[in-house]
Each structure stands twice: as C-alpha cells, then as structure tokens.
Amino acid sequence: VLQNLSQTPVLRELLKKAKMPGTTIKIESPELCMLCCFSFKQEPQLIKLDQPGPLTLAMHQFVTEMQETKKEVVTPKELFAQVCKKAIRFKGYQQQDSHELLRYLLDGMRAEE
C-alpha cells in the first residue's frame, strides 16, 4: 500500500505543498472529467492549507524518503507510529488487511486538513 501511494504523482505533489502552511492549491482532475459526460466540465477546487498534522508530515517524510533515498530499505517507523495513534487496532503488529491501513491512513490525513 505504501509503495503504491509513494508512486502516486498527485499525492506526492500535494504532500510537498501541504508542508507549507497557508498555501492554496488548485486540484484539477482531467482523469475524472474523462469519466464524466464529455459535455460536463468539472471546475477545479481551490483549497487553502493550514499547518499539516503529524500524520500528514510523517506521510510526507516517508514519500520523500522513498523517492529520494539511495538506501535499499526504507522503514516507515514514524508513519506507522502516527497511524497507530489514529487507529489503535494496528498496535501490537497483528496481521491487518492492507485496505484497512489505506482507509485509516487516508481518513486520518483528511481529518488533519
């Protein structure tokens, strides 16, 4: 899940911008427009970002490390610690479904908006 997220260009760009509080971002989605009726034009969304929360900062750090490091192994220790604070069910290293991790991670970051 984390490797896939780190390879998502839109998410990487948003995380870079989210690190700078007070930034206004414009979200346009040409892919979504192609799925809609061709006559329907979707307007871009403008969102002003506040100070990012600890989960968002940990995700930014992880994605940056995945993209820019020369290390063979990247450990998401801080990101996992932040996920565990939002979703206590992940503490204890019991087996969990990857879609549950994805849901808690994205919901947690959205709650920090």
Side-chain angles (χ1 to χ4, degrees), residues 58-70:
M59 184 64 181
H60 175 267
Q61 177 185 351
F62 172 76
V63 168
T64 301
E65 192 174 348
M66 284 287 290
Q67 292 296 308
E68 298 175 1
T69 190
K70 301 290 184 214

Side-chain angles (χ1 to χ4, degrees), residues 37-82:
C37 299
F38 289 103
S39 61
F40 177 72
K41 184 172 187 316
Q42 186 177 6
E43 295 296 319
Q45 292 182 321
L46 295 176
I47 300 172
K48 185 172 184 201
L49 301 174
D50 292 327
Q51 179 68 32
L55 181 59
T56 303
L57 288 173
M59 184 64 181
H60 175 267
Q61 177 185 351
F62 172 76
V63 168
T64 301
E65 192 174 348
M66 284 287 290
Q67 292 296 308
E68 298 175 1
T69 190
K70 301 290 184 214
K71 294 191 281 186
E72 291 181 21
V73 177
V74 176
T75 305
K77 189 180 269 186
E78 177 60 27
L79 179 58
F80 184 67
Q82 292 301 322

Side-chain angles (χ1 to χ4, degrees), residues 10-62:
V10 172
L11 179 62
R12 286 195 320 256
E13 287 304 311
L14 287 174
L15 286 170
K16 280 182 195 175
K17 292 176 183 177
K19 192 140 169 67
M20 300 174 280
T23 302
T24 300
I25 59 171
K26 182 165 89 171
I27 298 176
E28 297 181 88
S29 181
E31 295 84 11
L32 289 178
C33 291
M34 290 175 65
L35 296 175
C36 301
C37 299
F38 289 103
S39 61
F40 177 72
K41 184 172 187 316
Q42 186 177 6
E43 295 296 319
Q45 292 182 321
L46 295 176
I47 300 172
K48 185 172 184 201
L49 301 174
D50 292 327
Q51 179 68 32
L55 181 59
T56 303
L57 288 173
M59 184 64 181
H60 175 267
Q61 177 185 351
F62 172 76

